[in-house]
């Protein structure tokens, strides 16, 4: 499917899109063929830049007829390579940029696929509403990409993942037909929920062109705290207590190990020690509440009791937005801080929250046995049981030799995940990186059902053929 594209199909696509609707200029293509982690060098015969759902449908129809494969791409911030074409037509949503409607009475916003997460949040705020999905790449990551990867981020604890935030979808199916499903209903029990199949499909079941998304009231008060503690187990116990004592008012609850903090302080300019003295583990948490002052009061109460009970070692509440922002920067730069330290085996896994501490302990013992000297760096959305569990090369080791051991090392980590009935991809998807590995952990029944759905929707397998099964 990734073989050369017939010349007449290419000519028809160019004709359809017009001179400014496509490109094969290497300089224009270059940033879209490299991804954030630098693992894949993509290639494509054509970058298609459709302006409307109608044009997307026409592109897909031509490709379907000619049996030409397509890779959809949004902001190219995906971390598993699913957006990088290896010979497929690259269909970018960068010109599907309209905010079609903000509907405060429906608590809904309707946006096109190429609108970024940040732009969506800003449009909601202009109508005094909150669009809660937030992640470090939100200035570039698009609604279409976030839907297709079922993105999570830092506010999942309270508002859920993308799957929970989508009310309706418009999408072009692999035969070029348009699924007009932009409803704003909270209740719709009329058979299979097709939008849910498209969410998390990583571009394999069609191209998302627009979505209607849930909005929420904006909170009147917010408090941010940085907390030092002894272990992930202490963090999980603190989370349980904070959720109970705030009546569900915890917006974010992020865990970071000391090693990751040190990498950020060493490599990222203008960052500072978050607390006066070092601690083995840190939690960065946000509480939010509807009444003015309530979040701050709840934070003070929860932290005072936790200190008294020796559940935590130290804590500071942000005195202003600048301080909260500086702490969030330490969290958001965890991945970037690791980069100068050399090669790493990265894992985006989830286990039940109650098993996080056991998972970290067992996985660390396994990788340290396998390769003495590795530096485990852990951070993540602990409230969702989602751990970014990264294993960095020993100091001075050869990066290439360490990378060559990645599959073996990752298998050890994933086996511990499986033991706790977790997932080897909590929020980034499978993409080109993990699709084969995922088959080792999916039950045959589940994998066969997924293949059957895909075969029914896309019998020629033109949509992102290198992704999923
Ligand atoms: C610094 C950083 C931090 C991140 N933090 C998080 C985090 O906290 N939580 C999280 O979940 N993710 C995170 N990510 C991953 C990434 O941002 C998300 O997966 C994001 O949702 C991808 O959006 P995108 O527009 O960049 O999609 P792309 O990277 O362009 O595409 C991702 C996948 O979706 C498909 N796709 C894209 N658009 C469409 C469409 N319109 N229709 C059909 N398929 C489509 C692509 O084919 C590909 O398979 C992070 C990434 C970075 C670089």
């Amino acid at each position: 499917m990734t073989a050369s594209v017939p010349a007449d199909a290419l000519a028809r696509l160019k004709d359809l899109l017009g001179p400014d609707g496509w490109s094969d200029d290497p300089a224009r293509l270059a940033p879209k063929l490299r991804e954030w982690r630098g693992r894949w060098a993509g290639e494509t015969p054509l970058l298609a830049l459709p302006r409307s759902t109608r044009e997307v449908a026409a592109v897909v129809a031509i490709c379907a007829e000619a049996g030409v494969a397509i890779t959809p791409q949004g902001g190219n911030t995906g971390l598993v390579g699913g957006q990088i074409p290896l010979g497929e037509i690259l269909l970018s949503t960068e010109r599907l940029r309209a905010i079609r409607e903000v509907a405060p009475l429906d608590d809904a916003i309707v946006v096109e696929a190429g609108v970024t997460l940040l732009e969506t949040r800003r449009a909601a705020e202009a109508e005094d509403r909150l669009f809660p999905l937030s992640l470090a790449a939100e200035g570039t990551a698009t609604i279409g990409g976030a839907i297709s990867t079922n993105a999570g981020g830092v506010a999942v604890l309270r508002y859920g993942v993308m799957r929970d935030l989508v009310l309706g979808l418009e999408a072009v199916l692999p035969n070029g037909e348009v699924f007009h499903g932009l409803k704003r209903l909270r209740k719709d029990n009329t058979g299979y929920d097709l939008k849910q199949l498209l969410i998390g499909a990583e571009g394999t079941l069609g191209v998302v062109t627009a979505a209607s998304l849930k909005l929420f009231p904006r909170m009147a008060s917010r408090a941010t705290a940085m907390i030092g503690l002894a272990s992930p187990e202490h963090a999980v116990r603190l989370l349980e207590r904070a959720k109970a004592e705030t009546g569900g008012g915890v917006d974010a609850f992020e865990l970071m190990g000391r090693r990751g903090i040190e990498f950020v302080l060493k490599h990222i300019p203008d960052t500072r020690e978050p607390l006066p003295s070092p601690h083995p583990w840190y939690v960065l948490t946000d509480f939010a509440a509807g009444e003015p002052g309530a979040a701050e009061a709840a934070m003070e109460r929860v932290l005072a009791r936790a200190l008294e009970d020796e559940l935590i070692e130290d804590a500071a509440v942000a005195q202003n937005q600048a301080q909260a922002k500086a702490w969030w920067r330490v969290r958001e730069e965890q991945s970037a801080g690791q980069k100068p330290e050399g090669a790493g085996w990265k894992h985006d896994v989830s286990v039940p929250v109650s098993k996080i501490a056991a998972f970290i302990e067992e996985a660390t013992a396994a990788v340290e046995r396998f390769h003495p000297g590795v530096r485990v760096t852990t951070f993540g959305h602990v409230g969702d049981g989602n751990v970014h569990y990264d294993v960095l090369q020993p100091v001075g080791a050869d990066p290439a030799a360490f990378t060559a051991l990645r599959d073996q090392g990752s298998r050890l980590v994933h086996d511990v995940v499986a033991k706790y009935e977790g997932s080897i991809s909590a929020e980034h998807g499978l993409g080109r990186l993990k699709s084969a590995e995922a088959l080792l952990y999916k039950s045959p029944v589940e994998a066969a059902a997924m293949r059957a759905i895909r075969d029914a929707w896309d019998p020629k397998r033109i949509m992102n053929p290198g992704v999923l099964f």
Side-chain angles (χ1 to χ4, degrees):
M1 197 51 78
T2 59
S4 66
V5 176
D8 66 324
L10 266 187
R12 284 176 68 199
L13 287 170
K14 290 176 181 175
D15 193 40
L16 164 82
L17 292 162
D20 63 343
W22 62 272
S23 179
D24 55 9
D25 171 8
R28 174 86 169 87
L29 292 179
K32 293 188 183 293
L33 298 177
R34 270 193 314 267
E35 41 76 51
W36 207 73
R37 285 183 177 159
R39 275 198 195 144
W40 288 272
E43 50 174 317
T44 184
L46 190 85
L47 167 65
L49 297 158
R51 268 160 293 224
S52 62
T53 302
R54 197 183 52 76
E55 280 194 4
V56 174
V59 167
V60 175
I62 291 172
C63 291
E65 196 186 312
V68 170
I70 299 170
T71 294
Q73 188 181 93
N76 190 16
T77 68
L79 295 175
V80 289
Q83 72 280 16
I84 299 299
L86 297 182
E88 297 88 352
I89 298 285
L90 181 57
L91 191 157
S92 169
T93 57
E94 73 172 49
R95 296 209 293 180
L96 300 179
R97 307 262 311 130
I99 291 171
R100 291 192 190 165
E101 191 179 352
V102 188
L105 281 184
D106 294 330
D107 278 327
I109 185 168
V110 183
V111 296
E112 294 191 345
V115 176
T116 67
L117 295 172
L118 190 59
E119 288 163 342
T120 307
R121 170 132 35 87
R122 291 199 172 134
E125 280 171 3
E127 294 293 334
D128 200 25
R129 292 291 186 277
L130 170 73
F131 173 67
L133 198 118
S134 171
L135 45 84
E138 66 193 12
T140 314
T142 62
I143 290 297
I147 287 172
S148 301
T149 56
N150 185 23
V154 296
V156 171
L157 194 53
R158 189 165 195 161
Y159 297 102
V161 291
M162 200 60 176
R163 199 177 284 292
D164 302 305
L165 300 175
V166 176
L167 291 168
L169 278 189
E170 178 190 88
V172 174
L173 302 184
N175 62 2
E177 286 179 359
V178 180
F179 164 55
H180 292 284
L182 275 183
K183 292 180 180 173
R184 300 176 203 165
L185 304 177
R186 312 267 157 170
K187 292 185 166 181
D188 178 13
N189 279 349
T190 53
Y192 302 139
D193 190 347
L194 297 184
K195 70 175 181 301
Q196 289 296 347
L197 276 180
L198 285 151
I199 300 169
E202 301 187 47
T204 62
L205 294 181
V207 182
V208 174
T209 50
S212 53
L213 304 163
K214 281 184 198 168
L215 300 180
F216 296 84
R218 291 177 78 187
M219 293 290 167
S221 65
R222 176 168 294 276
T224 301
M226 183 67 86
I227 301 161
L229 22 70
S231 72
E233 203 174 327
H234 286 79
V236 169
R237 280 170 43 212
L238 176 66
L239 170 65
E240 183 196 16
R241 206 185 253 204
K243 282 196 293 192
E245 291 185 12
T246 59
V250 183
D251 260 26
F253 198 88
E254 301 285 305
L255 181 71
M256 295 172 278
R258 177 67 196 168
R259 183 175 274 138
I261 301 265
E262 282 172 4
F263 290 154
V264 169
L265 299 178
K266 185 169 157 198
H267 298 298
I268 307 292
D270 305 322
T271 51
R272 285 218 213 118
E273 272 292 349
L275 290 172
S277 54
H279 300 271
W281 293 89
Y282 295 77
V283 161
L284 176 61
T285 186
D286 271 2
F287 291 4
E291 313 83 58
E296 293 86 339
M299 185 70 86
E300 297 289 350
R301 213 172 44 239
V302 169
L303 294 181
R305 250 185 26 96
L307 265 174
E308 209 178 285
D309 297 345
E310 297 182 1
L311 188 54
I312 62 178
E313 295 179 344
D314 193 11
V317 180
Q319 295 307 303
N320 48 48
Q321 273 207 356
Q323 192 173 22
K325 240 174 132 174
W327 287 343
W328 270 106
R329 186 147 174 259
V330 170
R331 162 63 187 87
E332 283 164 0
E333 298 287 3
Q334 289 286 308
S335 289
Q338 292 176 11
K339 271 194 176 174
E341 293 291 323
W345 314 326
K346 313 266 178 163
H347 309 92
D348 158 43
V349 302
S350 62
V351 293
V353 173
S354 60
K355 305 295 181 204
I356 284 180
F359 160 73
I360 293 175
E361 199 181 313
E362 285 179 41
T364 303
V367 293
E368 285 180 349
R369 246 189 335 265
F370 174 64
H371 202 289
V374 292
R375 294 167 296 162
V376 170
T377 309
T378 309
F379 62 98
H381 319 294
V382 75
D384 320 324
N386 179 187
V387 180
H388 296 308
Y389 184 86
D390 298 337
V391 184
L392 301 192
Q393 64 171 74
V395 175
D398 171 26
F402 188 70
T403 301
L405 293 172
R406 181 170 59 213
D407 288 354
Q408 280 170 277
S410 290
R411 183 68 45 79
L412 297 172
V413 175
H414 290 163
D415 284 348
V416 181
V417 170
K419 173 181 165 190
Y420 289 112
E421 299 187 330
S423 167
I424 69 159
S425 179
E427 61 176 6
H428 297 158
L430 296 178
R432 296 190 182 278
L433 182 66
K434 288 190 190 167
S435 290
E437 177 91 355
L439 269 182
L440 301 173
Y441 298 98
K442 284 262 178 221
S443 75
V445 171
E446 205 178 349
M450 284 172 69
R451 283 200 188 100
I453 291 167
R454 189 169 183 177
D455 289 343
W457 280 43
D458 185 13
K460 291 189 182 172
R461 291 239 168 187
I462 65 159
M463 292 305 308
N464 232 359
V467 170
L468 304 190
F469 334 121

